[in-house]
Amino acid sequence: MFDISRRRMLRASACAPLLGTGVVGWAGAAQAATWPERPIRMLVGYNTGGATDGVARPIEAKLQATLGQPFIFEYKPGAGATVAAALASKAAPDGYTLHITDSGPMTILPNGKVVGYDPLTAFSSLGMVCEGCSVIAVHPSLPVENLADLVKMARAKPGTLTFGTSGMGGSAHLAGELFQVMTGTELVHVPYRGGAPAATDLVGGQIPMLFASTGTALPFIEQGRMRALAVTSPKRSSSLPNVPTVAEQGYPGYDATVWFSMVGPARLPPAIVSRFHEALQGALSDAKVQQALRRQGYEPLLGGLDIQDRRVKEDLAKWGKLIREKKIRFE
């Protein structure tokens, strides 16, 4: 009798973890079915007024209308936006902490420093947002009218011409590094904590040259306070149609496209991922949102989550090769 009772107790205890898992799984599914029930925290890795802010704001209103909850933006600049990405990766996988990121902290910095997360495993992909380019701009007082003039000046005085960017290891920084490799020049990188302060310093004459997002640079270019020499994408930017690409000006194959995407922490419930992705696709299909993005030089990126996963993997390999060849360190 004792043996039979004991066997029953052992079977019951063995089943307990499975029953517990079932309860947890059911609870998670129930939570996902009612998500969101409160405001959503959106982490941003740069200061206000930068390119990421400009991309996120047109989408915010549409997402809020669809999901029925406001988004609370939290700005966590630092370390090339990896501070915000690391926070996002460690958040509870409940859908109430999400992150708008870009190709810098996802595909560049992880190749050259310890960032505290693995971009291939630490996040749940929620969808691509848009892609665009950097613009190579100079202060109007710099005696150059095109890329050929700039390259000639840089080659004449190697290691003296400085260029500002939104931060060490960002997309603009690697655009500048690729530019040096392909043009045979040696420039001095000056990293800032965001694109806006870098643009301010160029306009103020503190730096002569800038690799910046089109959204950051465009107002100053239109005011004549910056001179645009080239864009870093394979095709011309819709917001700067008269500015030629780097490739057009004698350097075929040059491509330093920047992109933005939405992510959450790993293990987000599939129902939450699906609902957010559907809401994002709806926002990116809106004509006003598309117009707002294109005004900043970005093209909306509609499509499945597999596109985002593939893009991260491919760009990690591409920028990793350049970082290793140039022995770039971001510490």
Side-chain angles (χ1 to χ4, degrees):
M1 189 69 176
F2 174 80
D3 290 339
I4 292 173
S5 299
R6 186 178 181 185
R7 283 197 297 270
R8 285 174 177 169
M9 289 173 65
L10 289 171
R11 282 199 300 269
S13 63
C15 291
L18 298 177
L19 291 171
T21 301
V23 170
V24 171
W26 178 86
Q31 180 189 43
T34 58
W35 180 88
E37 297 181 291
R38 62 178 190 268
I40 298 167
R41 177 189 183 208
M42 182 64 74
L43 295 174
V44 181
Y46 302 97
N47 286 311
T48 58
T52 308
D53 216 23
V55 165
R57 291 300 180 178
I59 300 167
E60 175 194 7
K62 282 292 177 183
L63 289 176
Q64 180 173 325
T66 301
L67 297 174
Q69 291 291 344
F71 285 78
I72 300 173
F73 281 65
E74 288 191 18
Y75 297 89
K76 302 290 185 180
T82 62
V83 170
L87 286 172
S89 73
K90 294 173 176 61
D94 56 10
Y96 291 102
T97 298
L98 305 179
H99 180 37
I100 180 164
T101 185
D102 65 87
S103 41
M106 297 299 287
T107 67
I108 295 172
L109 282 165
N111 280 297
K113 65 179 291 187
V114 176
V115 294
Y117 56 86
D118 182 341
L120 296 175
T121 62
F123 302 99
S124 296
S125 297
L126 296 173
M128 300 296 289
V129 176
C130 60
E131 67 178 355
C133 60
S134 295
V135 56
I136 304 174
V138 297
H139 191 273
S141 65
L142 200 70
V144 297
E145 298 295 330
N146 51 48
L147 214 57
D149 290 345
L150 181 67
V151 170
K152 183 179 179 180
M153 175 183 286
R155 286 176 177 170
K157 296 181 178 180
T160 59
L161 188 62
T162 59
F163 71 98
T165 73
S166 58
M168 183 72 75
S171 301
H173 174 202
L174 267 288
E177 296 292 346
L178 183 62
F179 177 82
Q180 292 176 74
V181 169
M182 295 191 69
T183 60
T185 55
E186 183 184 342
L187 307 173
V188 179
H189 179 221
V190 181
Y192 287 79
R193 290 173 65 88
T200 299
D201 267 13
L202 183 134
V203 169
Q206 278 73 44
I207 53 173
M209 178 182 172
L210 182 73
F211 281 75
S213 70
T214 50
T216 298
L218 187 59
F220 298 107
I221 293 169
E222 291 175 338
Q223 296 162 13
R225 300 167 78 187
M226 286 184 190
R227 180 183 301 125
L229 302 182
V231 293
T232 65
S233 50
K235 297 180 180 179
R236 293 194 183 196
S237 168
S238 58
S239 62
L240 292 167
N242 296 321
V243 178
T245 67
V246 173
E248 283 181 84
Q249 298 184 70
Y251 302 97
Y254 181 94
D255 178 6
T257 304
V258 59
W259 49 259
F260 294 85
S261 70
M262 296 279 193
V263 298
R267 299 179 301 281
L268 273 183
I272 291 178
V273 171
S274 179
R275 182 148 193 233
F276 185 89
H277 181 65
E278 184 178 346
L280 180 60
Q281 295 295 289
L284 293 173
S285 299
D286 182 80
K288 290 184 178 179
V289 170
Q290 292 184 351
Q291 185 180 28
L293 291 175
R294 286 179 176 134
R295 272 201 304 267
Q296 300 175 70
Y298 299 112
E299 282 298 318
L301 287 175
L302 290 139
L305 297 175
D306 58 318
I307 297 173
Q308 182 175 358
D309 295 335
R310 186 170 62 250
R311 192 74 176 266
V312 171
K313 186 175 181 180
E314 290 175 351
D315 282 5
L316 265 171
K318 170 186 173 177
W319 294 121
K321 183 174 182 291
L322 176 65
I323 289 164
R324 288 190 298 273
E325 288 177 351
K326 287 209 69 179
K327 296 181 174 60
I328 300 170
R329 292 292 177 267
F330 304 127
E331 301 298 345

